[in-house]
């Protein structure tokens, strides 16, 4: 007897039955005969492995539960967060992050990358908490942990060493922030060297301010090529693209292609600056994903841990309304995001891990418009209650 049999699922437009046994998809066909412990009629609803949310800060989520949101400039918000970070404990980080992880699981997220601050103020507390949560929830959601130099690398005499320790503890990758403390090129060099040394990918908050004086994309992409790291680096935000003239923008697109820099867009950044021109970036063919980024903290007092929310936001901001554009947005929170995160076996295929999410929607348009929630989630072959 099969473990799970899903009937009439809409997988990429084809209506199929899906059979699951021992945590693996064992059959996909127009009609599968046989019995199963759990039989579910998907009624032609949209069926995906699960959503992909390419970037967040789980260690700093829900700070508004402790201190109300207040208006201010980016640096002021950063300073407020930094003060709170000094008092973080592993337990406090765990409680806040766990709440959001459970929200994301309910919303159908399967892959989530979080940057986790590492520096002298918070030490490795965030890494410790998130590595434990990654393990605890591994059957329900795949969390990637990036050891992140939010405040810069060279300013406190500790971050350089702590980043290496975080990677030795098991962090999946290293994260940089190109405009932090004006470190610029030196910062980029350090983070790329660390990625090479430990054989991990790198992730940069890139040109986040949107200002012309913060335009390090040309340098980063040049260094990626020099170091043979094509396809191994992700850029988050790239807000300065929105400040370039048309010729400069075309040059930037060439640099992105040459470096095979994947791109993550966090549309909630619109609250303080312009976001990258996503339709143009998609034309480069590099992987492009979407992200929740900050959730209920000083940078974003809203944010739910449901990546469909930012898909809807992007759709309005840059008018992704035509059918092929709606499909592009849907891809950014599914297959495209999986490429950004270098997920190897994303897809509903025979032999793949049985991670299956049936959404309460008959089309991808409904998923975005109605913010459709899962009616069935199977994770590693087991139905999630
Ligand atoms: Zn971020």
């Amino acid at each position: 007897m099969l473990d799970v049999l899903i009937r009439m699922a809409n997988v990429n437009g084809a209506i199929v039955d899906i059979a699951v046994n021992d945590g693996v998809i064992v059959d996909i066909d127009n009609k599968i005969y046989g019995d199963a412990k759990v039989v579910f009629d998907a009624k032609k609803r949209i069926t995906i492995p699960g959503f992909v949310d390419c970037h967040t800060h789980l260690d700093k989520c829900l700070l508004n539960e402790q201190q109300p949101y207040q208006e201010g400039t980016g640096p002021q918000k950063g300073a407020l967060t930094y003060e709170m970070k000094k008092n973080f404990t592993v337990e406090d980080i765990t409680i806040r992050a766990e709440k959001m992880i459970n929200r994301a699981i309910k919303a159908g997220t399967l892959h989530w990358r979080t940057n986790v601050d590492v520096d002298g103020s918070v030490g490795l507390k965030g890494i410790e908490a998130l590595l434990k949560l990654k393990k605890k929830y591994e059957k329900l959601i795949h969390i990637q942990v990036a050891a992140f130099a939010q405040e810069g690398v060279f300013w406190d005499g500790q971050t350089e060493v702590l980043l290496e320790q975080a990677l030795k503890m098991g962090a999946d990758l290293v994260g940089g922030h190109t405009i932090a403390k004006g470190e610029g090129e030196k910062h980029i060099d350090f983070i790329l060297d660390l990625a090479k040394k430990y054989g991990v990918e790198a992730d940069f908050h890139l040109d986040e301010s949107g200002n012309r004086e913060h335009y390090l994309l040309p340098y980063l992409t040049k260094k990626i090529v020099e170091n043979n790291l094509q396809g191994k680096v992700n850029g988050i935000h790239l807000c300065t693209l929105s400040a370039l003239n048309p010729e400069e923008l075309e040059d930037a697109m060439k640099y992105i292609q040459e470096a095979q820099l994947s791109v993550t867009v966090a549309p909630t950044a619109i609250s303080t600056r312009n976001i990258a021109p996503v339709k143009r970036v998609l034309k480069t063919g590099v992987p492009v994903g979407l992200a929740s980024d900050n959730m209920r903290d000083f940078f974003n007092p809203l944010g739910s841990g449901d990546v469909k929310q930012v898909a809807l936001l992007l759709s309005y901001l840059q008018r992704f309304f035509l059918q092929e554009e709606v499909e592009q947005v849907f891809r950014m929170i599914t297959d495209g995001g999986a490429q950004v995160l270098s997920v190897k076996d994303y897809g509903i295929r025979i032999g793949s891990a049985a991670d299956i999410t049936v959404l309460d929607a008959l089309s991808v348009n409904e998923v975005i418009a109605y913010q459709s929630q899962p009616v069935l989630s199977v994770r590693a072959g087991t139905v999630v209650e």
Side-chain angles (χ1 to χ4, degrees), residues 55 57 205 293:
H55 169 65
H57 299 269
H205 283 66
D293 203 1

Side-chain angles (χ1 to χ4, degrees), residues 351-381:
S352 288
D355 294 318
I356 304 165
T357 308
V358 182
L359 299 162
D360 191 14
L362 292 171
S363 65
V364 296
N365 309 59
E366 286 190 4
V367 175
I368 308 288
Y370 302 156
Q371 301 283 284
S372 309
Q373 296 301 337
V375 288
L376 177 80
S377 290
V378 176
R379 294 289 179 267

Side-chain angles (χ1 to χ4, degrees), residues 52-55 112 263-267 275 278 288-293 307-308 310-312 314-315 328-334 336-337 340 368:
V52 183
D53 191 339
C54 290
H55 169 65
W112 208 3
V263 175
T264 293
V265 179
I275 61 171
V278 180
V288 182
L290 284 177
S292 293
D293 203 1
V307 75
K308 294 185 289 290
V310 292
L312 182 64
L314 174 74
S315 304
Q328 280 181 318
V329 171
F330 189 75
R331 268 202 298 281
M332 281 185 257
I333 55 171
T334 53
V340 170
I368 308 288

Side-chain angles (χ1 to χ4, degrees), residues 55-57 148 205 208 236-237 293-294:
H55 169 65
T56 189
H57 299 269
F148 177 43
H205 283 66
E208 186 177 349
I236 305 158
H237 291 305
D293 203 1
N294 299 69

Side-chain angles (χ1 to χ4, degrees), residues 297-313:
D297 63 9
F298 301 114
F299 288 91
N300 176 18
L302 307 174
S304 62
D306 184 343
V307 75
K308 294 185 289 290
Q309 193 181 45
V310 292
L312 182 64
L313 177 57

